[in-house]
Amino acid sequence: MTLFDLSNISGNRYVTVIVDCIGIDDLLTYRIPEDVELQVGDILSVPLGNRQVGAIALQISDTSAIDDPETEIKEISAVVSSGIFPKTYWELLTRTAEYYRTPVMQTVKTALPPKLLDQSHYRIKIKQLDSPAANLIVAKSAQMVWDFLQEHKGNSKGLIRRYIQQKLGRYTGAGLRELQKLDLVETVLELPNRPQPKYEDIVVLIKVPDSEITARQTEVLTILQHQGGECSKSQLCKLAKTSASVIQNLENKGYIVISKRESLRLGGKSHTVIRDRPKALTPDQDLALQQILKAIANNNPSHFLLHGVTGSGKTEVYLQAIATVLETGKSALVLVPEIGLTPQLTDRFRARFGDAKVNVYHSQLSDGERFDTWRLMLTGESQVVIGTRSSVFAPLSNLGLIVMDEEHDNSFKQDQPQPCYHARTVAQWRSQLEQVPLVMGSATPSAELVFAQKQQELIYLELPNRIGNRAMPPIEIVDMRDEFKAGNYSILSRKLQGAIAEMLEAKQQGILFIHRRGYSTFVSCRSCGYVAECPHCDVSLSYHDPISPTAHQPKSAHLRCHYCNYTQIQPKSCPQCNSPYFKYFGSGTQKVEQELSKLFPNIRLIRFDSDTTRNKDQHRLLIDQFRAGTADLLVGTQMLTKGLDIPQVTLVGVVSADGLLNFSDYRAGERAAQTLLQVAGRAGRGEEDGKVIMQTYTPEHPAIQAVQSYRLEEFMQTELEMREALRYPPKGQMVLIHLSSENAQTVENSANELAEYLRQLENDWEILGATPATIAKVANRYRWQILLKFMPDVLPNVPSLEELRMLVNSKAVRVVIDVDPLTIL
Ligand code: ADP
Ligand code: ZN
Ligand code: ZN
């Protein structure tokens, strides 16, 4: 029996539900009363112990999942609300659960906001006051509820269900059921009020003061002139210390016009701005837009890759495509990596479509805000939802288009809690299920999309030039081995020091990018650039501290491969040139900050990393300060790569590209090339030309070469060939199983037993491990992992999370399953 099979067989029918009750994660089964019609996705009220709780119908069947005939199966009490979710919604959720091998319950929890099932949000409304059907009421309970509703008919919004329940108790369920059958009442999910657009009077100067008017009036007009000939009426009154009637008088005399204009909430504040108008498109943009519009018009679930550097006009294409979607009364979903870092993007959408049309949804909203925004999506009104990864589950019922900006960004993948889904994968399913096009934009397309393009599974659209044909800043590569040879032991090369000095001289601004992961793990030689690599796999070895006291872990610092478990003791000197400067590499922001202050005592710095931006408004504050010119140099990590558009930045420095290149991960090359290109793109966005200086110990690395020429295509092709040969994704597929425990021996045993068990299963897969994770211990938990590698058709044979938990069978060991992991650490 499939999940969506609505059975009509007479006899008992059962429904499997998830209940809204903390601590109950299992699916429960209830009997469906004979006279009740149910659909998957309906919100129900069910008995649980001696309480009534909210539930969602997940599966309807004519056989109960409970084998034991002795077990009493209770009946559901009521259908609270039916059909509020888009039709394919539950299919999307169950497909996500299935693919990511996670229980449906956990997937649903990821998708739905808290409190959705709370009955106090549902109201009962009389459908038609004097309906003749009221004469057909038979049961006492139905009559009681009906009378009660009649008494309160003054309340046009209807009565809160919970209130009726409180007053009428056990009669409510049965009574409402009969009334619903007679079509006398309906249940509605209470919806919050949509913010109404705010308007303001704007005064525009149309005639300069002349001798016809008084000195006082001239004074007012002069002030208006100083405001650029345009400002809000209230502000003008304030500035000119005058009254509305004086201003009205000026309009009557034909010196100004007063008109209403929408006031928008931009950057968190209210602004009165001219609504942003669609731009006349360049031929490339127009070509892209036309293809997308065709797919929208034909309900074609095509997948598009919109490839163009930052500033090439991708967002303008999204905006115009979305405008068409809104005109036809449908909605658009825009997925972005991180809202906090891209306020300008949401501002642009608001300026184009108005506040009332744009909903922003992300994890930094409070529970209440999330719930309200979520319900606004259920209204079915045409709207734009901009949100981070979980918005891929936004319950928009009349979707016309999905846009995913910066599709290559890793934050589209969920780490925890499970399911570890990738929003791009889910968006692709959603596009299929709802028959809407999906537009994925990037300056540096992911290997997945390059592969899909090769397989002709997507339509490639290119915006090859920046708007206004501004050149990309030239990228200079500095070989750090030469610096070392020349006796410069600083982490800043002479070239980069010189460029910073010039930048300070010219009173310009710059960005210094540092790759610092909490655990940058490769080991390299500062004299010759040699990097310790696995003799069997195409990855660098990871440095391990001697912390884990179990049998498989050497007692001293050692290097280990995460793919084949090859292990060697950390050498004392470089195996290639014997230099003693052979160690584990790292240059944190603080260290760079010290070095800079030493070299340039007067330099004004802003440090931008996870230490200084912990607070949610801190990102924006620091960037606003920098934009306002309070510092010369912004020194930061990865976070700098995201949507940071500061026109006056002329210099971008990369302290060490190597931290990105030398990963114990097959994706390192791809990620390095993407990140470096994104970083480079921060320079020269304004009037002044920009330049980029990239320091590295391996200038010959193909990723560096590709970045320097701004052409990743060829590099990505080689990258894909290498991966295909080794059956790495995207051709092959991987699943990573993590195990962790406070007890080192327990988790090691469990991991080895599980790996042993999996090996005995007859599947066409490779099993790598069990191995200790790179960070073998986090927060007192010891971590192990098992990596499965196979061709995609094998995925359904991979044990689900529930099965793994059963196999491990130890409460002391936590199990996580990550399908399509982005990092293998
Ligand atoms: P991207 O999303 O690729 O970074 P944008 O759409 O943000 O590019 O465009 C970059 C800049 O150029 C923006 O300021 C945008 O308003 C402007 N722009 C985009 N398209 C056009 C156009 N056809 N004519 C004029 N300006 C444009
Ligand atoms: Zn060396
Ligand atoms: Zn190896």
Side-chain angles (χ1 to χ4, degrees):
M1 174 96 11
T2 70
L3 280 180
F4 303 98
D5 197 349
L6 300 182
S7 165
N8 288 318
I9 300 165
S10 57
N12 283 331
R13 287 178 308 149
Y14 301 89
V15 59
T16 313
V17 304
I18 51 171
V19 291
D20 183 27
C21 180
I22 293 163
I24 299 188
D25 280 356
D26 294 330
L27 298 180
L28 302 180
T29 301
Y30 288 87
R31 198 195 311 275
I32 307 173
E34 246 171 60
D35 54 350
V36 169
E37 280 310 315
L38 259 197
Q39 278 183 314
V40 168
D42 282 359
I43 296 187
L44 313 174
S45 177
V46 298
L48 187 72
N50 49 13
R51 288 188 302 152
Q52 289 289 323
V53 297
I56 297 181
L58 280 190
Q59 183 178 1
I60 295 164
S61 70
D62 53 334
T63 50
S64 104
I66 297 165
D67 296 331
D68 183 4
E70 299 294 301
T71 316
E72 187 213 352
I73 303 177
K74 291 186 183 165
E75 281 192 353
I76 64 163
S77 312
V79 179
V80 173
S81 179
S82 191
I84 65 167
F85 289 99
K87 276 203 200 75
T88 55
Y89 197 72
W90 296 95
E91 198 168 345
L92 187 69
L93 292 190
T94 44
R95 196 186 279 198
T96 304
E98 178 70 15
Y99 182 91
Y100 289 100
R101 319 301 295 146
T102 322
V104 175
M105 183 66 186
Q106 255 167 284
T107 310
V108 170
K109 278 188 178 159
T110 296
L112 304 193
K115 299 201 192 111
L116 177 69
L117 301 183
D118 188 336
Q119 284 197 43
S120 41
H121 296 298
Y122 295 87
R123 285 177 182 267
I124 307 292
K125 274 170 75 170
I126 297 177
K127 273 183 112 169
Q128 200 191 327
L129 268 180
D130 314 311
S131 169
N135 299 324
L136 303 174
I137 295 174
V138 184
K140 181 173 161 233
S141 57
Q143 194 60 53
M144 276 179 71
V145 178
W146 182 247
D147 292 345
F148 188 74
L149 288 170
Q150 295 286 330
E151 273 169 44
H152 294 81
K153 66 188 172 198
N155 182 346
S156 63
K157 282 172 82 181
L159 291 184
I160 292 173
R161 192 188 162 92
R162 172 156 291 167
Y163 176 65
I164 306 176
Q165 187 114 32
Q166 273 165 7
K167 295 295 175 188
L168 303 182
R170 62 197 174 85
Y171 295 107
T172 318
L176 278 173
R177 208 185 297 154
E178 184 170 336
L179 296 181
Q180 238 148 12
K181 257 182 78 187
L182 291 170
D183 205 25
L184 287 167
V185 297
E186 62 181 340
T187 313
V188 289
L189 177 65
E190 186 168 26
L191 298 170
N193 293 327
R194 182 174 287 283
Q196 292 302 311
K198 271 191 265 168
Y199 292 93
E200 223 180 352
D201 283 335
I202 297 292
V203 182
V204 180
L205 184 70
I206 50 170
K207 187 171 155 194
V208 288
D210 52 27
S211 55
E212 302 287 302
I213 51 174
T214 66
R216 180 68 188 127
Q217 285 171 329
T218 304
E219 200 184 329
V220 174
L221 290 180
T222 311
I223 289 170
L224 183 57
Q225 235 172 342
H226 286 154
Q227 294 299 307
E230 180 176 320
C231 86
S232 76
K233 193 164 93 180
S234 57
Q235 199 191 357
L236 185 59
C237 287
K238 228 183 282 168
L239 288 174
K241 301 196 178 61
T242 181
S243 67
S245 62
V246 172
I247 291 172
Q248 189 57 57
N249 210 342
L250 280 168
E251 185 180 37
N252 298 345
K253 291 189 167 167
Y255 288 86
I256 57 172
V257 284
I258 304 172
S259 59
K260 290 229 179 288
R261 204 172 275 168
E262 190 176 347
S263 164
L264 297 171
R265 276 179 297 145
L266 300 181
K269 298 192 204 85
S270 204
H271 287 283
T272 303
V273 292
I274 304 177
R275 272 285 194 90
D276 177 40
R277 301 213 175 282
K279 308 214 161 33
L281 296 184
T282 64
D284 291 322
Q285 283 176 314
D286 194 49
L287 202 65
L289 179 69
Q290 293 315 323
Q291 296 210 53
I292 297 168
L293 290 183
K294 209 166 9 156
I296 293 173
N298 297 332
N299 298 323
N300 214 334
S302 315
H303 297 170
F304 294 95
L305 166 59
L306 183 58
H307 182 192
V309 293
T310 354
S312 60
K314 296 186 295 296
T315 310
E316 186 61 33
V317 173
Y318 308 149
L319 286 166
Q320 298 202 17
I322 290 168
T324 306
V325 169
L326 295 178
E327 276 163 24
T328 58
K330 293 191 173 180
S331 294
L333 179 58
V334 181
L335 301 167
V336 295
E338 250 161 293
I339 294 271
L341 299 181
T342 50
Q344 295 118 318
L345 186 77
T346 35
D347 285 357
R348 265 175 87 183
F349 277 78
R350 290 212 161 104
R352 184 68 59 92
F353 303 118
D355 281 336
K357 280 270 180 219
V358 178
N359 273 325
V360 178
Y361 190 76
H362 53 89
S363 56
Q364 288 180 355
L365 298 177
S366 69
D367 280 0
E369 289 170 320
R370 271 219 329 235
F371 185 50
D372 282 355
T373 313
W374 208 84
R375 284 185 297 163
L376 282 174
M377 299 179 208
L378 285 173
T379 57
E381 279 169 41
S382 122
Q383 58 192 292
V384 185
V385 171
I386 305 179
T388 46
R389 92 184 149 241
S390 69
S391 319
V392 74
F393 299 111
L396 290 165
S397 52
N398 54 354
L399 199 58
L401 175 69
I402 309 175
V403 170
M404 180 174 240
D405 195 29
E406 313 279 358
E407 73 55 47
H408 60 274
D409 197 288
N410 284 352
S411 62
F412 284 121
K413 174 88 157 113
Q414 167 122 326
D415 289 331
Q416 57 162 342
Q418 300 179 80
C420 301
Y421 66 94
H422 199 300
R424 186 180 51 225
T425 308
V426 180
Q428 288 173 346
W429 296 330
R430 191 161 184 182
S431 137
Q432 290 293 339
L433 286 170
E434 304 196 29
Q435 298 286 300
V436 298
L438 165 64
V439 179
M440 296 169 280
S442 179
T444 53
S446 62
E448 280 75 11
L449 288 204
V450 176
F451 184 68
Q453 186 191 343
K454 230 167 106 177
Q455 310 283 101
Q456 305 190 330
E457 284 163 5
L458 56 74
I459 301 169
Y460 181 76
L461 306 172
E462 193 182 14
L463 301 180
N465 303 308
R466 273 181 160 179
I467 296 292
N469 285 323
R470 290 196 60 80
M472 295 301 285
I475 300 177
E476 266 187 83
I477 307 291
V478 177
D479 187 339
M480 291 304 279
R481 292 170 301 190
D482 295 343
E483 294 295 303
F484 198 80
K485 275 183 214 134
N488 173 18
Y489 302 117
S490 163
I491 36 181
L492 302 178
S493 62
R494 291 159 294 176
K495 194 158 250 159
L496 186 50
Q497 291 180 22
I500 295 172
E502 269 174 37
M503 177 201 84
L504 291 173
E505 184 69 28
K507 302 216 176 325
Q508 292 168 338
Q509 287 181 295
I511 292 177
L512 211 52
F513 174 77
I514 295 157
H515 173 72
R516 191 199 61 169
R517 300 164 55 90
Y519 32 85
S520 169
T521 58
F522 72 103
V523 174
S524 70
C525 171
R526 287 201 70 183
S527 310
C528 76
Y530 173 82
V531 174
E533 284 189 356
C534 175
H536 313 298
C537 309
D538 193 17
V539 296
S540 34
L541 295 172
S542 281
Y543 176 84
H544 282 243
D545 269 330
I547 50 160
S548 198
T550 65
H552 291 280
Q553 292 270 47
K555 300 268 177 294
S556 54
H558 62 283
L559 309 176
R560 189 188 280 272
C561 169
H562 289 138
Y563 290 80
C564 70
N565 218 3
Y566 167 85
T567 306
Q568 70 172 67
I569 300 297
Q570 151 91 57
K572 296 259 176 301
S573 60
C574 171
Q576 188 163 285
C577 75
N578 250 332
S579 158
Y581 294 95
F582 183 66
K583 13 181 197 211
Y584 139 66
F585 203 94
S587 53
T589 35
Q590 266 171 313
K591 197 163 142 200
V592 172
E593 209 178 353
Q594 283 166 7
E595 185 86 14
L596 281 167
S597 308
K598 208 169 72 196
L599 291 166
F600 309 99
N602 296 325
I603 197 165
R604 298 168 306 157
L605 299 174
I606 290 182
R607 182 148 68 92
F608 192 79
D609 59 22
S610 50
D611 293 336
T612 60
T613 56
R614 216 161 263 159
N615 176 323
K616 72 170 177 179
D617 299 322
Q618 204 69 12
H619 287 131
R620 190 155 186 163
L621 185 70
L622 288 179
I623 289 185
D624 282 348
Q625 285 175 351
F626 183 66
R627 198 188 306 269
T630 62
D632 307 305
L633 204 57
L634 192 59
V635 180
T637 53
Q638 228 75 333
M639 281 185 244
L640 289 179
T641 56
K642 300 194 178 161
L644 186 68
D645 190 358
I646 300 176
Q648 65 268 37
V649 168
T650 53
L651 175 67
V652 165
V654 175
V655 175
S656 159
D658 305 81
L660 281 163
L661 293 169
N662 299 303
F663 259 67
S664 53
D665 189 321
Y666 73 95
R667 257 176 227 265
E670 174 189 353
R671 197 168 311 142
Q674 288 168 347
T675 307
L676 292 172
L677 210 59
Q678 300 278 345
V679 175
R682 306 295 123 199
R685 316 273 297 248
E687 295 301 308
E688 304 289 332
D689 286 340
K691 77 169 154 195
V692 180
I693 295 179
M694 238 172 241
Q695 307 189 147
T696 174
Y697 286 90
T698 46
E700 64 283 350
H701 194 292
I704 300 279
Q705 300 287 319
V707 168
Q708 187 172 21
S709 63
Y710 283 98
R711 291 200 61 80
L712 295 192
E713 287 80 357
E714 213 175 298
F715 169 73
M716 288 301 286
Q717 290 303 338
T718 323
E719 181 76 15
L720 276 184
E721 279 161 29
M722 180 279 283
R723 290 199 205 170
E724 277 173 42
L726 294 169
R727 300 214 299 179
Y728 283 140
K731 183 167 183 107
Q733 200 171 9
M734 288 188 184
V735 166
L736 191 62
I737 302 169
H738 297 271
L739 298 100
S740 68
S741 171
E742 286 181 3
N743 185 315
Q745 200 59 57
T746 310
V747 63
E748 178 172 343
N749 293 346
S750 292
N752 283 322
E753 281 162 24
L754 182 60
E756 217 36 63
Y757 170 84
L758 294 171
R759 282 207 173 84
Q760 282 163 19
L761 299 180
E762 302 240 317
N763 277 317
D764 189 8
W765 61 23
E766 282 174 66
I767 299 179
L768 311 161
T771 55
T774 309
I775 344 166
K777 189 179 170 191
V778 173
N780 281 323
R781 298 187 72 85
Y782 295 89
R783 307 160 79 236
W784 281 69
Q785 63 193 27
I786 300 168
L787 184 67
L788 308 178
K789 194 162 140 241
F790 45 81
M791 294 310 280
D793 57 323
V794 177
L795 182 64
N797 302 347
V798 173
S800 69
L801 180 62
E802 284 150 307
E803 288 162 338
L804 290 171
R805 283 185 179 146
M806 248 148 29
L807 288 166
V808 168
N809 194 23
S810 163
K811 288 250 182 315
V813 178
R814 192 183 296 157
V815 187
V816 172
I817 182 163
D818 186 355
V819 176
D820 305 334
L822 285 188
T823 39
I824 317 278
L825 284 167

